[in-house]
């Protein structure tokens, strides 16, 4: 990567072309064809296809987060210091996406006939390399939003595009994956998973290349100077809105990924038909789009992204708690009604929580004089991944302790645990998330004042 000075842009309070908003949204389509696919299907792939014990999977999810704790801040800091003719963050999409796609395929290359120790070792190596690869793409991608414009309304629209695209992608993945595994593999699920992953790895790469090609970084970094890790951490700790966003991302990770890992288990072992997962996902498409699209309107009324996220989180929690009392088989109408409502509110939240982060970067620069976009986004990503680790490893650990056995009828305790993880427990966690984000204090008015003062310092 060559290091050259970037041309300075005079105006960063700009409108973003529609094609750039779509391109940025397509980046999250790519992310979901990798990471959400991993979150929803990797655990059941390990246990039901590879024959790896639930206890080993639980340990993996915890150990890999220590690895994340190292590489997330490192990649964030490296991306901040990148200087190239393409900007700071876009080159990571260009080169990181195809490399990560290869590792994704290797991760889903099953070896069920290997010994338990060999399978576990292969699982640890491929998963940890996959986490590193995804970090090299996702952190620069997430940070890129803050460099496209400093207009708060435009950032809201960019994140709406991102969220709408992401929700469409997630539902498409959930709808087509099981049929594709069956179509590609027939009775050989291992072959089906491998071929599906080759397809998804290609989509992951192409989406990020499109994002690279049709976006432009206009918010330039401050004059290059070395900022110590301690100073960056101190600056982050003084940034109260950022700490609230970080807590929200952690709770988001615990709730979302723990529940997503449980989805296929729930429909397969509690409802008794894993094909209901496809029907469930189809029903959620429309509320997903509507929820994401509702964010700008709610934000316009409330004038505070944190309060907007809090409102959507509360709606998600109430809907999921209500969902606990119904079944897709015995009471499908209320079941799918509350499922649709929970998805509507969740997608509004998903849009809001990511729209918060770039504003916190601006606040931090105003408060401390330190601007470190990638470094701050790295800890947001790390908080989300730590939440994912706790959510998925806790699920795997509980199911292992309750004597889960793959591909057979489960005992009542295992079924109850899967039922709680599907609705009641995440519902309570969403309400806690709503309370945390209610204390976010950057409003539209205060943000514009911060930007005025920052621009006055720079022009002066």
């Amino acid at each position: 990567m060559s290091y050259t000075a970037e041309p300075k842009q005079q105006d960063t309070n700009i409108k973003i072309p529609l094609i750039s908003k779509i391109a940025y949204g397509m980046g999250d389509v790519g992310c979901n064809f990798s990471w959400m696919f991993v979150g929803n299907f990797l655990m059941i792939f390990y246990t039901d296809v590879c024959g790896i014990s639930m206890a080993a999977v639980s340990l993996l999810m915890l150990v890999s987060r220590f690895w994340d704790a190292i590489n997330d801040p490192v990649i964030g800091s490296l991306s901040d210091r990148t200087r190239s003719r393409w900007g700071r963050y876009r080159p990571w999409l260009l080169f990181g996406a195809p490399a990560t796609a290869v590792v994704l395929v290797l991760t889903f290359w099953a070896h069920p006939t290997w010994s338990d120790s060999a399978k576990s070792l292969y699982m640890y190596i491929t998963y940890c390399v996959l986490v590193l690869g995804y970090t090299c793409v996702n952190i620069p991608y997430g940070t890129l939003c803050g460099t496209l414009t400093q207009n708060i309304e435009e950032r809201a629209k960019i994140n709406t595009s991102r969220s709408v695209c992401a929700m469409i992608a997630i539902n498409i993945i959930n709808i087509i994956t099981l049929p594709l595994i069956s179509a590609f593999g027939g009775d050989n699920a291992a072959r089906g998973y491998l071929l599906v992953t080759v397809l998804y790895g290609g989509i992951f790469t192409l989406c990020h290349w499109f994002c690279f090609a049709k976006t432009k970084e206009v918010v330039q970094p401050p004059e290059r100077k070395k900022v110590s890790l301690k100073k960056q951490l101190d600056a982050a700790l003084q940034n109260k809105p950022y700490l609230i966003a970080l807590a929200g991302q952690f709770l988001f990770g615990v709730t979302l990924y723990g529940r997503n890992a449980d989805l296929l288990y729930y429909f397969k072992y509690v409802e008794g038909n894993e094909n209901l997962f496809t029907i469930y996902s189809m029903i959620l498409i429309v509320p997903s789009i509507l929820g994401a699209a509702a964010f700008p309107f709610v934000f316009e009324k409330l004038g505070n992204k944190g309060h907007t996220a809090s409102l959507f989180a509360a709606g998600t929690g109430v809907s999921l708690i209500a969902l606990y009392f119904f079944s897709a088989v015995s009471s499908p109408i209320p079941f799918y009604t509350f499922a649709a409502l929970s998805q509507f509110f969740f997608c509004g939240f998903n849009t809001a929580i990511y729209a918060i982060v770039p504003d916190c970067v601006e606040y931090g620069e105003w408060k401390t004089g330190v601007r470190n976009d990638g470094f701050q986004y790295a800890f947001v990503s790390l908080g989300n991944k730590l939440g994912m680790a706790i959510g998925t490893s806790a699920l795997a650990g509980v199911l292992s302790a309750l004597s889960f056995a793959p591909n057979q009828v489960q005992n009542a305790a295992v079924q109850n645990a899967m039922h709680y993880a599907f609705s009641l427990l995440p519902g309570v966690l969403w309400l806690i998330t709503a309370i945390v984000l209610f204390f976010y204090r950057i409003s539209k008015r205060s943000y514009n004042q911060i930007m005025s003062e920052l621009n006055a310092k720079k022009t002066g």
Side-chain angles (χ1 to χ4, degrees), residues 225-248:
K225 57 184 179 180
K226 188 172 182 179
V227 180
S228 69
L229 179 62
K230 181 180 184 302
K231 187 172 182 179
Q232 293 188 73
L233 286 171
D234 287 343
L237 291 173
Q238 294 178 56
N239 190 333
K240 291 183 180 179
Y242 173 70
L243 295 177
I244 291 172
L246 195 60

Side-chain angles (χ1 to χ4, degrees), residues 225-450:
K225 57 184 179 180
K226 188 172 182 179
V227 180
S228 69
L229 179 62
K230 181 180 184 302
K231 187 172 182 179
Q232 293 188 73
L233 286 171
D234 287 343
L237 291 173
Q238 294 178 56
N239 190 333
K240 291 183 180 179
Y242 173 70
L243 295 177
I244 291 172
L246 195 60
Q249 281 284 355
F250 171 74
L251 290 166
F252 179 35
V254 173
T255 310
L256 174 66
Y257 292 106
R259 183 174 187 266
N260 281 358
D262 180 65
L263 286 175
L264 264 178
Y265 288 105
Y266 172 79
F267 285 107
K268 182 176 181 178
Y269 296 113
V270 178
E271 297 285 4
N273 184 357
E274 67 179 0
N275 292 323
L276 289 174
F277 175 67
T278 301
I279 297 172
Y280 172 83
S281 301
M282 291 176 66
I283 289 172
L284 299 188
I285 291 180
V286 173
S288 295
I289 298 171
L290 294 177
F295 162 70
F297 301 100
V298 179
F299 171 53
E300 183 65 27
K301 294 293 183 183
L302 298 182
N304 183 308
K305 292 177 182 177
H307 292 174
T308 304
S310 177
L311 178 63
F312 281 121
T316 308
V318 171
S319 300
L320 285 177
I321 290 171
L323 185 62
Y324 172 78
F325 299 98
F326 303 100
S327 163
V329 175
S330 61
S331 49
I333 292 177
F335 177 88
Y336 288 116
T337 297
F338 284 112
L341 281 173
S342 69
Q343 188 69 7
F344 170 85
F345 288 116
F346 162 71
C347 291
F349 171 87
N350 185 68
T351 311
I353 193 67
Y354 286 107
I356 285 173
V357 180
D359 300 346
C360 294
V361 172
E362 248 73 70
Y363 177 89
E365 184 181 5
W366 170 78
K367 178 80 173 177
T368 67
V370 175
R371 185 183 182 96
N372 49 2
D373 309 51
F375 183 83
Q376 289 195 32
Y377 192 86
F379 277 96
V380 168
S381 174
L382 178 60
N384 188 268
K385 288 179 182 177
L386 287 173
M388 175 185 179
I390 292 174
T392 53
S393 64
L395 174 67
V398 168
L399 294 182
S400 175
L402 296 176
S403 303
F404 167 84
N407 301 310
Q408 57 185 274
V409 176
Q410 305 300 320
N411 63 57
V414 169
Q415 289 183 332
N416 285 335
M418 291 175 177
H419 193 185
Y420 292 142
F422 175 73
S423 50
L424 190 59
L425 290 179
V428 172
L429 287 172
W430 275 115
L431 294 180
I432 295 172
T433 305
I435 294 170
V436 170
L437 289 168
F438 180 76
F439 293 97
Y440 182 84
R441 289 292 178 259
I442 299 179
S443 66
K444 186 187 299 186
R445 180 178 178 180
S446 62
Y447 175 83
N448 289 331
Q449 180 64 34
I450 287 168

